[in-house]
Each structure stands twice: as C-alpha cells, then as structure tokens.
Amino acid sequence: MNNLDFANPEYLYLLLLIVPVIAWYIWRDKKAHASIQVSTLKSLKKAPRTYKYYFRHSLILLRVLAIAFLVIALARPQSSNDWKNVSSEGIDIVMSLDISSSMLAQDFEPNRLEAAKDVATQFITGRQQDKIGLVIFSGESFTQCPLTTDHAVLINLFSDIKSGMIEDGTAIGLGLANAVNRLKDSDAKSRVVILITDGVNNQGEIAPITAAELAKTFGIRVYTVGIGTQGTAPYPFQTPFGVQMQNVPVEIDEATLTDIAELTGGKYFRATDNNKLKAIYEEIDQMEKRKIEVKQFSTKSEAYRSYALWAALFLLLEIAFRNTILRNIP
C-alpha cells in the first residue's frame, strides 16, 4: 500500500490562488456577455448549439488543473510503501558517572563534573525513543535513576548530582557492575553503558575487568570515557585562607578503560576539554543510531515528476485549444 506525503507541504497553500483565478473568470465571463430582454425564448431554444458551447469552460478548467498540479509538484510529493517500514526498538542506555572529589578539578569549564552533566543532558535530549538510566559512583555506587523514558525526570536527577553525596574514592568496578545489573534483564535489542571517570580504581569489592566480563556475558556494550587534561589540572583546595587552586597530577587508568571497552565491543575515549567531551558523546550517539537504523527499510521515492508532467500537459492543451478550435472563446 502506497502512502503519499510532502517534503515541502507549505507550498500547498499556493492552491488558494485557484480561488481568485476562478473568481476573475466568472467576473470576466459575465462582462463579456450582454443581456437583452425578449418576450419568449421558444425560438432560441431550438437554435443549434456548436461544440464551442459545450466546451466554452474547458479553457479555465485546463488552467486550474495546470496550476493545481504545478503546486503539488512544488510541494514535492513522495510515495512510500508502509509495509516495508519496520518498528525499530530503542536502545537501553545506563550512564555510569564518577562523582568523586577529583571530578571538581577545573581543567574543564566550570569543572569536570558539571561539564559531564551538561553534555550528558544534551545527549539525553537527543535520544527521545530510548530508555536511559543513571548510576553514580565514587567510593561506592548507587542508582540515581532506573531505566526510564521520562527524560525530564532523568535530567532533573542529573542536575541534583553533587560530589560528596557518597563516600569518596573511585570504585570503577562497582559503578560498572551496578550499571550492568540495571541492564541485564532488559529485552532491548541493544544495551549500552557509558562509563565516565577521571581516575584509577582504588575501592570496591569488584574489579573493573570482572565487571566488564559480566557485561560481556549479558551482551552489554560499554563505552568508557577518561575525562581530564594531560599532565596536571587545577584543583580547588579548602585552606584557612579560603579556597585556593593548586595543580594536581591527572591520573587515568587508560589501559583498564581500554580493556573494558574492547572486551565488551565498545570503545575507549579520552576527553581533554569540554569540546572534546561533547564530540565524544556525538560520536557515541551516531554509532548507536547506525546500529538501529540499519534495521529499517526506506522505500521513499520522489513522485513530483508525474505531477509536473500533468501540469505541463494541461497548460499545453489550453494553449493549443485557445489558438485552434476554441480560438474565439473569451
């Protein structure tokens, strides 16, 4: 079954031009014929009528049809076979975010944690069909938001995240295992963890690689993101004289994060500033979209050519009739 839609539907408003064209024709037709009063029409009714009488309104009809089909062609009609369109299932995504005190380093604007929250919020806004959840971790881990399609609630919960909510430290293994636990019972075709950290695993009962093997067992893909500049980063320390900035070394266990990603079929990224972090999320977004879109079949085809040809045909017929058999019709 073919469906018809329009790439430029706003052009269909031009069909309103037909109204003044018809009105102008009716007004001109009345002006072109004089009236006369007679006592009876009996003799006139028997007068023979030529073909011009029967076809006297054909010129305006051809013109109206030409305008209508030309406007439809401009609106770019497109046909598609709805029986080939398959409903694609969304992706279930859990974002596992490090909120340890080191995420307050200011090598990102305004700091690593706020930058990660801002970019993640933009990512969530662009994934309207997906269920997304949020896990946070530092020395321990807990679920801030289970999988949900209510992205407004999720974004509000994101904004509430602050460093110091839980015991400090960096339990990468726990953060990943918690995210996997949220996804393991999902029936989505694609299940993904996006894990963001700026440090080295130093707490928790579960090793990062063990958590990665657990993710692999359940067919969960993990994208790991190391967030932090190269070398040293300014960090705010509380002193008796107020907050003072000191440069601290940036230590990210890139080898372990790479192993986690490769083991689960994901990819490791290093974000060194706000723009790089945004670009990483955009790349992950496109990678996951491609995995879904390949399951959809698009059979749209342009249909404006036939309408344009009909418009040209009606216009040529009007010109031909006006200059031949209907020459004297006003």
Side-chain angles (χ1 to χ4, degrees):
M1 179 180 176
N2 289 332
N3 291 328
L4 192 68
D5 54 13
F6 297 91
N8 304 309
E10 62 275 9
Y11 283 107
L12 293 176
Y13 287 111
L14 293 175
L15 290 173
L16 295 174
L17 291 173
I18 293 174
V19 176
V21 169
I22 295 175
W24 171 79
Y25 174 78
I26 294 172
W27 177 82
R28 194 191 66 165
D29 187 61
K30 288 182 178 180
K31 296 284 287 183
H33 296 87
S35 61
I36 183 173
Q37 292 184 350
V38 296
S39 59
T40 180
L41 295 175
K42 289 182 179 180
S43 60
L44 295 176
K45 288 181 179 178
K46 295 180 180 180
R49 295 176 176 176
T50 66
Y51 68 90
K52 289 186 178 181
Y53 173 83
Y54 295 104
F55 290 97
R56 66 190 186 279
H57 299 306
S58 60
L59 294 179
I60 186 62
L61 176 61
L62 290 171
R63 183 176 303 176
V64 167
L65 288 173
I67 293 173
F69 277 84
L70 179 60
V71 169
I72 294 174
L74 288 173
R76 281 186 61 197
Q78 297 175 328
S79 62
S80 61
N81 293 325
D82 60 0
W83 59 272
K84 282 194 174 181
N85 291 332
V86 295
S87 57
S88 61
E89 296 187 33
I91 304 170
D92 283 1
I93 302 171
V94 171
M95 308 178 81
S96 184
L97 179 61
D98 187 347
I99 63 167
S100 59
S101 58
S102 59
M103 288 290 285
L104 297 177
Q106 295 181 10
D107 46 350
F108 286 65
E109 292 292 336
N111 57 48
R112 293 173 186 170
L113 181 58
E114 292 302 318
K117 288 163 57 176
D118 289 344
V119 176
T121 298
Q122 296 175 31
F123 177 83
I124 293 167
T125 303
R127 308 286 305 199
Q128 296 181 1
Q129 303 302 318
D130 300 325
K131 287 190 291 184
I132 304 178
L134 173 61
V135 165
I136 59 176
F137 68 91
S138 51
E140 52 189 4
S141 174
F142 75 87
T143 301
Q144 178 79 348
C145 181
L147 287 168
T148 180
T149 55
D150 191 342
H151 292 174
V153 169
L154 176 60
I155 290 171
N156 285 335
L157 290 171
F158 243 106
S159 65
D160 292 338
I161 295 174
K162 293 179 177 60
S163 182
M165 293 174 64
I166 49 181
E167 179 187 352
D168 201 15
T170 306
I172 296 174
L174 276 180
L176 178 55
N178 193 0
V180 169
N181 187 52
R182 287 293 168 181
L183 285 169
K184 65 183 179 64
D185 296 323
S186 165
D187 56 1
K189 293 292 184 181
S190 184
R191 295 172 293 174
V192 171
V193 173
I194 301 175
L195 185 145
I196 300 178
T197 183
D198 68 343
V200 178
N201 188 77
N202 56 25
Q203 281 191 246
E205 301 83 6
I206 302 177
I209 296 302
T210 302
E213 290 172 346
L214 188 64
K216 180 182 178 181
T217 300
F218 289 106
I220 297 169
R221 202 162 37 257
V222 182
Y223 295 102
T224 53
V225 181
I227 181 169
T229 189
Q230 304 288 349
T232 61
Y235 183 85
F237 284 92
Q238 186 68 45
T239 71
F241 305 100
V243 176
Q244 294 187 359
M245 303 302 296
Q246 297 182 24
N247 287 328
V248 297
V250 177
E251 297 179 359
I252 301 175
D253 190 354
E254 293 191 280
T256 297
L257 295 178
T258 301
D259 289 343
I260 291 171
E262 291 180 350
L263 184 63
T264 60
K267 185 177 180 180
Y268 169 67
F269 302 89
R270 178 67 182 269
T272 54
D273 55 38
N274 293 64
N275 291 333
K276 180 62 176 175
L277 181 59
K278 183 178 180 181
I280 288 170
Y281 266 98
E282 289 174 350
E283 184 173 347
I284 294 174
D285 183 56
Q286 291 303 314
M287 290 170 69
E288 287 305 316
K289 278 183 177 176
R290 283 198 294 270
K291 293 178 187 298
I292 292 300
E293 287 170 355
V294 74
K295 299 173 184 176
Q296 297 178 347
F297 299 91
S298 176
T299 58
K300 276 191 175 181
S301 59
E302 297 287 349
Y304 70 89
R305 293 181 184 85
S306 60
Y307 289 92
L309 289 174
W310 277 108
L313 175 62
F314 289 132
L315 183 60
L316 290 174
L317 284 174
E318 184 200 356
I319 294 172
F321 288 168
R322 184 180 297 280
N323 291 281
T324 55
I325 59 177
L326 302 177
R327 179 178 299 175
N328 297 323
I329 290 182

